[in-house]
Amino acid sequence: MVGIPTIPEFYRNKTIFITGGSGFIGKVLVEKLLRSCSDLKTIYLLLREKKGRAPEDRIKTITDLPLFDVLKSKNPDSLNKIKIVVGDVRELDLGLDLQERQMLIDQVNVVFHGAASVRFDDSLTDAVIMNTRGTREVAKLVLEMKNLDVFVHISTTYCNSDRKVVEERLYPAVAEWEKTIEIAENIDRHTLNVLTEKYIHPKPNTYTFAKSLGEHVVYDMCNGRIPLVVYRPSIVIPTVLEPITGWIDNFNGPMGVLVGYGKGLVRIMYSDPNNIMDCMPVDSTVKAIIISSWKQATYKDTNQKLTVSFYNSSNNGMKNVNAETLVDISRKIWNECPFDNVLWYPNTKITKCYYNYFFQMIIYQLVPALLVDGILKLMGERPMLTKIQRKIHTATITLAYFTHNNWTFVNDKFYNLKCELLPTDVDSFSYNWEDTIVYTYFLNSVAGTKKYLLKESDDVNKAKKHLLKMWVLAKIVNFLWYLGLFWLVFFKIGVGDFVFYK
């Protein structure tokens, strides 16, 4: 590997443009680049205009997060390298003014396109405008850049979820992306809503459909013209190690489910117990994204450099955790690291039968929520639990396709990325998710969720005392429930009389 620069050397004096920099992956990417490639020149973040808020304030909102504390302690001046360009991926030409657009064309060396709507229930219009047309607008800008070294498009492993085995390559499109963009721009929403299910078939929702077309956008526009990486993360979960353990900023994925369990809001899980949750920690994901950009840009063979590289950032064959295992793990975690003020003792069960799920959801989740909200109304307080349960049920049904199916995301190229590292880069950029102890990881993630997402105290003693009270209450309620059932069956219905008479 003589003559190949290290990753920090490659990024020295580089100007970087990031879309989606305020998202989960985006924030961790910005922090990691500044901390481990400290000699980079500038990071431009594309952010929408916020009335009444200066760009400096918006940068401060991001950098004031605990995620950046390690960086601040080591190199606080590096935060001055973050600059904002006002724009919007949903707009033509990204909503950039001509002066800023020209500045990006003249200066940028590396582009990471991560901006996307991750809602599974977006209308076809919104999903295509954001995730397909937005990608086209980024690609148009990238192709004009005079000093571009590499373009990384962040996709998703699930954009090919209509296939059981997904390799690290491009699959045939289910629709023409140019025509689809034209349809989204010109046909009214109501008509598209009626036709959506038929138009996106066999994709399960508008998100996977629009993201799959996004891959074809960058491939058709950039293949053979610029170094391009299509990076497909699976479900992204809290940090395993860097820069702090267990950092998270959203309720998406397994952590949202665990919060529902831990707070006593979710008593029944609608999923196949054997469903594999294909997860990857966000710090491992970001390291691999950076390695892939470096590798693509430093290929010695120009022809190979201009060939698109696909990576499935998947947990396949590494640390597979199924739904049943996650529920079992969570039962142990709540005794060690419970959330504050749980509404009921956490004891979630799992079923893949919809009728069983629906019945138990009504009895154990909706009815108690209605009772509590009724009491809150009588006390003059704002009811909230019924609304929360409605959202939980909607999310459960929306995700049912993914919680009842399994995929094999072939990840050989992703797994071998770390093997491409130069010896001096191993400490900073290698990722060893397969060596992680699953229980310890999720315990740390729950602790991180308590601290960074729910803003709860690190002291779990008070939470444990409250949890014990909920356990006693649950036992009393269960005893009264079975006592009432016994009385109903044996005395009210008359079974007892029959038994004793006989």
Side-chain angles (χ1 to χ4, degrees), residues 48 203 208 373 434:
R48 293 196 299 269
K203 304 299 181 183
T208 56
D373 279 353
E434 65 271 26

Side-chain angles (χ1 to χ4, degrees), residues 262-282:
K263 286 291 188 179
L265 292 169
V266 176
R267 306 290 306 285
I268 182 70
M269 179 180 178
Y270 181 45
S271 172
D272 183 340
N274 296 313
N275 173 254
I276 301 296
M277 296 189 173
D278 197 301
C279 306
M280 185 59 59
V282 65

